Amino acid sequence: MFMGLGKIFAHGKQAFDPLDEILGINQRNALIQKYNPRHAIERARDKVAAKYALEAAGIACTGTVAVIDDHQKLSSFKPSRDMPDAWAIKPARGSQGDGILLAVRREGNTWYKGSGAPLPEEMVMHHIQKVVDGGFSGDSAAEDAALIEPLIIADPALSRIVPEGLPDLRVISLHHTPLMAMVRLPTIESDGKANLHQRAIGAGIDMETGKITRAVVKGTPITHHPDTGVNLIGFEIPGWKRVLELASRCGPAVGLGYCGADIVLDVNDGPLVIEVNAHPGIEIQNICQAGLKVRIAATGEDFR
Amino acid sequence: MIARIREIWGRATPQVRRPFYVGLGVAVVLAVLVGLGVGNTSAFFVLPSTLDGKATSQAIWGLKPSNLLMVLPLGAFLVVLARSFIGLKAFGLFTPMLIALAFLQIGPVMGPVVLCSSVLVGMIVTPSLLKLRMTRVGFLGVLISLIVLVLVGLQMILDTQLQVDAFPVIVCALCVERWWKQWGKDGAKPAAKMALNTFVLAVVIEFVMVSNFAMALIEWSPLLMPATTGIAIAILGRYRGLRLSEIHRFAPIWLERRRQARAAALPEGVTEDRRKGLPDTRRVPEPEALPEAMPEEEPAAPVPRLRVRAAYRMPQLVPLHRSHGMVLAAAAKRAPALGGMWVIESPADLAPGARRRASQLISPSVTSLATGTPANDRALPAGRPPIHNAWVVRRAEDV
């Protein structure tokens, strides 16, 4: 009885049972509490601060057009003068892709979204203002910074298998060790967004070879992309070694022990880090059909 | 049904069992406490003006207004239980607890009515409010004024002494905002589910707060309740196992593992695992090579009757006389010959020992006879005899 209680509350001698392979949300929170210090989480949550830290560590990140963090900068910013033809506006403290605006082309002073909807200059300014006012930044922040980046064009090998949007890789790592990886492939149904909640495809990647082993849409396993019909199983991520190297350096650069790195494959620059997540979700286990806890245990973690 | 559950239970790994036990225990305790709380409720439909000046919580449950503070730790404790053992997702961390407290102040039935109506109005108005393109602070401010408007309206309609103070107003405004955000992020269904979770959890907390157990603790000593719940939260907050809802979430992984394990353990051709402990050393019989041509109806020598009572009884083959009705009918209809099968064209073909022709040896005369052969007829223009189903290409025109 007391042994059982000990196991439940992780007081016992043997905290890790080999049959426990799934990492639950409670255990994940405990890991974050143990390895991710408060200041590092704050830094990771702020995309601008995280970018500074990553670039200081020599990690390849996406480029920057401008950072607008107050109303003074906002009033001196003129999209028609300062913006390139294709760009992305992101709130620095946004979560789950909220408030991200993308423009793919420009005609005169009007930009166009991926869907073809026009974005006149004042609409762009209004969006930036909303971002700066903290409209996409959760409950805590009243002010935020708008991060403007040039639009990333995906590696042709990857963009061939998706109808639109930018596929991104999520690699979960503990300290220097990448543990599990998936690639999120947008679909027409997900409106070009690589968000699993919006019915994008999640595909588990084999850590050794970089090949897709399994693809899932909302819990249903699939083999081919529903829009392009390309076979996903066995597809090899180009530049996999580089992806792993980037992922293993991301956490230490920002100061996080347990983190999830979001990496995109750019057509020119190869793998680039777009974001480091201090609270990576555990849904990746369902996508790779493997438990994170066994892999964490294999790195020597004792779960105390 | 029970056997099935037992079977599933027997296969579950310890990582599944533990959270199940824990979740079950929590559910039972909660059910008992809620039962006590409901039993302790003296009147459900009551309006404050009929209570001649007494506070609602005291009139209905005997909970002094000064003791409302005491039940707060209990609410926090229940939120911790619901979150880290069961995995209920609600709006905000302690919103359900605050809602429960508002319910205690307004009444067991009037509380939900007031909350639901104000939140509902907020939900209906939010889309048009968002079109005004305000900042978040402005939006929340308008929302608060609106909810107060609804609450004052309710006070005028129902009862002027309905105790709706600052507390429920903010809670309602935050609920509306969370609801709207969740809707925008995940869609209507998950948001509605979360709202329902919040509501149910608030009701559960409300009744646990007023159960005899909680009352006795408060009456005993004012220090006891905060101290007990504090210690309990500190112990239970260390729980690292799976939540009850995660059993369902990660069930596909365990199921797939088991399927793989089963597929790996069994040799080919064996569908049922009958091994108990020891490895299976029995030889698996090689599946016999299928004969090239299989008689549709074999009127050969009668198979001797099986004397041993076997589970599987071989069907008996009965030889039919050539003038038998079934044989004649079969002959009259000219059952089409199928590729790789015997062609039975005349009653003579059914006689024991008769020579039958396989359909792949088709001479022109046979093709004209066996009409309706699906594959062969279409591919066979007259005058080009195929040899064993293979075309003979002699000239360029043959291709």
Side-chain angles (χ1 to χ4, degrees):
Chain A
M1 177 67 196
F2 287 107
M3 278 284 287
L5 272 182
K7 259 186 196 169
I8 287 171
F9 295 106
H11 291 303
K13 271 217 170 107
Q14 189 198 4
F16 178 70
D17 182 341
L19 281 170
D20 295 5
E21 51 172 357
I22 308 292
L23 183 76
I25 201 89
N26 291 328
Q27 183 69 61
R28 182 207 74 162
N29 290 345
L31 274 179
I32 288 169
Q33 210 177 7
K34 184 173 169 189
Y35 288 126
N36 293 359
R38 195 73 227 154
H39 66 93
I41 292 177
E42 280 303 318
R43 194 185 297 153
R45 200 171 279 166
D46 188 337
K47 284 198 182 75
V48 177
K51 208 166 181 177
Y52 283 140
L54 289 171
E55 278 176 350
I59 294 171
C61 295
T62 50
T64 310
V65 174
V67 177
I68 299 170
D69 51 5
D70 57 17
H71 285 81
Q72 198 184 350
K73 279 186 192 160
L74 183 69
S75 56
S76 64
F77 188 79
K78 202 168 177 303
S80 59
R81 180 191 63 204
D82 301 326
M83 295 281 253
D85 293 351
W87 41 256
I89 298 175
K90 301 173 180 176
R93 309 175 132 269
S95 65
Q96 303 201 345
D98 278 359
I100 293 181
L101 186 69
L102 306 175
V104 294
R105 64 192 173 88
R106 176 180 187 171
E107 277 173 23
N109 279 344
T110 310
W111 288 267
Y112 290 89
K113 286 193 213 174
S115 60
L119 282 171
E121 195 173 0
E122 69 268 15
M123 217 152 137
V124 176
M125 276 311 275
H126 175 77
H127 187 83
I128 298 175
Q129 184 174 2
K130 197 170 174 190
V131 170
V132 173
D133 283 341
F136 302 105
S137 317
D139 299 336
S140 53
E143 271 201 355
D144 200 358
L147 177 62
I148 304 172
E149 295 179 344
L151 191 75
I152 291 162
I153 314 287
D155 189 291
L158 265 182
S159 61
R160 197 175 51 81
I161 64 176
V162 295
E164 54 172 345
L166 181 66
D168 74 340
L169 298 152
R170 157 64 65 86
V171 186
I172 298 211
S173 42
L174 184 70
H175 305 302
H176 294 277
T177 321
L179 297 171
M180 197 174 274
M182 66 169 169
V183 58
R184 291 174 290 199
L185 303 165
T187 55
I188 288 174
E189 221 176 335
S190 79
D191 196 22
K193 294 190 175 90
N195 189 335
L196 298 183
H197 288 291
Q198 293 164 339
R199 300 188 67 85
I201 300 170
I205 303 174
D206 183 64
M207 293 303 284
E208 302 260 309
T209 58
K211 284 183 177 162
I212 292 178
T213 53
R214 195 167 177 280
V216 180
V217 185
K218 276 266 175 184
T220 321
I222 54 167
T223 54
H224 293 70
H225 195 292
D227 302 324
T228 58
V230 178
N231 185 12
L232 298 173
I233 310 298
F235 177 86
E236 192 177 338
I237 305 294
W240 178 243
K241 286 275 175 301
R242 180 110 181 89
V243 170
L244 284 184
E245 189 203 326
L246 278 183
S248 63
R249 285 164 57 197
C250 271
V254 183
L256 297 170
Y258 177 74
C259 72
D262 286 351
I263 295 171
V264 290
L265 301 176
D266 186 72
V267 59
N268 298 317
D269 304 330
L272 299 175
V273 177
I274 48 172
E275 200 183 329
V276 182
N277 204 316
H279 297 89
I282 52 174
E283 186 59 23
I284 191 170
Q285 299 178 99
N286 256 338
I287 290 189
C288 296
Q289 202 130 66
L292 259 174
K293 201 172 178 186
V294 269
R295 298 197 183 177
I296 291 173
T299 67
E301 171 62 38
D302 56 358
F303 298 105
R304 291 292 161 80
Chain B
M1 181 69 190
I2 291 169
R4 173 111 188 93
I5 291 172
R6 191 170 295 160
E7 190 191 14
I8 293 172
W9 192 242
R11 291 203 213 111
T13 61
Q15 204 189 6
V16 180
R17 285 188 204 191
R18 243 174 285 142
F20 190 79
Y21 283 136
V22 171
L24 209 66
V26 168
V28 167
V29 170
L30 276 188
V32 168
L33 286 176
V34 168
L36 282 175
V38 173
N40 198 22
T41 311
S42 57
F44 282 93
F45 295 93
V46 78
L47 287 172
S49 53
T50 58
L51 303 175
D52 40 83
K54 265 204 279 182
T56 315
S57 56
Q58 180 155 25
I60 298 177
W61 297 290
L63 183 70
K64 281 186 224 124
S66 59
N67 281 347
L68 274 180
L69 196 65
M70 291 288 141
V71 290
L72 269 181
L74 187 61
F77 173 70
L78 291 178
V79 167
V80 170
L81 276 191
R83 253 188 118 76
S84 65
F85 287 84
I86 299 173
L88 269 185
K89 275 188 183 160
F91 295 137
L93 267 179
F94 289 101
T95 318
M97 181 185 82
L98 298 180
I99 295 175
L101 207 64
F103 286 176
L104 285 189
Q105 288 184 343
I106 303 172
V109 176
M110 291 321 288
V113 167
V114 167
L115 181 98
C116 289
S117 52
S118 54
V119 169
L120 204 67
V121 169
M123 283 169 183
I124 292 166
V125 175
T126 306
S128 27
L129 271 188
L130 286 175
K131 278 185 196 140
L132 296 175
R133 290 187 170 179
M134 283 176 295
T135 55
R136 178 170 176 251
V137 183
F139 168 75
L140 269 180
V142 176
L143 209 57
I144 286 173
S145 349
L146 202 97
I147 286 170
V148 167
L149 204 71
V150 175
L151 291 180
V152 170
L154 277 175
Q155 262 184 340
M156 283 158 77
I157 297 166
L158 294 170
D159 189 354
T160 42
Q161 299 210 342
L162 208 57
Q163 192 183 8
V164 280
D165 47 19
F167 197 49
V169 174
I170 302 295
V171 171
C172 286
L174 287 178
C175 269
V176 173
E177 207 212 6
R178 290 301 289 259
W179 153 269
W180 189 251
K181 267 201 175 152
Q182 207 65 37
W183 187 328
K185 218 191 284 173
D186 296 341
K189 222 171 133 190
K193 209 172 147 195
M194 236 163 128
L196 189 74
N197 279 349
T198 312
F199 182 72
V200 169
L201 191 56
V203 172
V204 166
I205 292 174
E206 179 198 359
F207 283 113
V208 173
M209 277 173 169
V210 296
S211 64
N212 292 332
F213 172 72
M215 300 289 204
L217 267 184
I218 293 168
E219 287 301 313
W220 204 351
S221 158
L223 292 177
L224 208 54
M225 180 63 116
T228 339
T229 46
I231 292 168
I233 293 174
I235 294 171
L236 296 184
R238 283 183 55 81
Y239 178 67
R240 302 277 162 83
L242 294 186
R243 296 173 178 181
L244 198 58
S245 61
E246 280 171 342
I247 296 182
H248 174 248
R249 181 177 176 186
F250 294 115
I253 300 183
W254 287 302
L255 291 177
E256 181 65 27
R257 282 274 179 288
R258 225 180 48 220
R259 210 171 300 137
Q260 278 173 3
R262 199 183 294 159
L266 288 182
E268 270 180 46
V270 179
T271 51
E272 195 194 351
D273 193 358
R274 278 173 292 188
R275 293 172 303 173
K276 286 271 185 287
L278 286 169
D280 189 1
T281 49
R282 286 172 300 174
R283 271 196 65 196
V284 181
E286 294 266 318
E288 281 177 42
L290 289 171
E292 285 280 290
M294 280 251 267
E296 266 183 89
E297 201 178 336
E298 173 78 19
V303 179
R305 205 172 245 288
L306 292 170
R307 257 163 247 133
V308 190
R309 252 177 191 270
Y312 172 67
R313 296 189 61 169
M314 235 173 121
Q316 296 276 308
L317 294 175
V318 186
L320 300 174
H321 193 256
R322 67 181 64 179
S323 59
H324 191 273
M326 274 167 73
V327 176
L328 288 175
K333 273 186 190 153
R334 281 195 192 279
L338 298 168
M341 291 203 170
W342 292 104
V343 180
I344 299 166
E345 284 172 317
S346 65
D349 286 337
L350 296 170
R355 282 191 62 200
R356 299 174 206 87
R357 283 170 292 108
S359 66
Q360 53 264 66
L361 298 170
I362 297 172
S363 64
S365 62
V366 174
T367 12
S368 62
L369 273 171
T371 47
T373 315
N376 289 343
D377 260 10
R378 239 175 288 125
L380 270 180
R384 278 188 192 170
I387 299 171
H388 291 281
N389 275 358
W391 291 105
V392 180
V393 180
R394 293 199 186 89
R395 294 182 303 272
E397 293 92 308
D398 285 335
V399 181

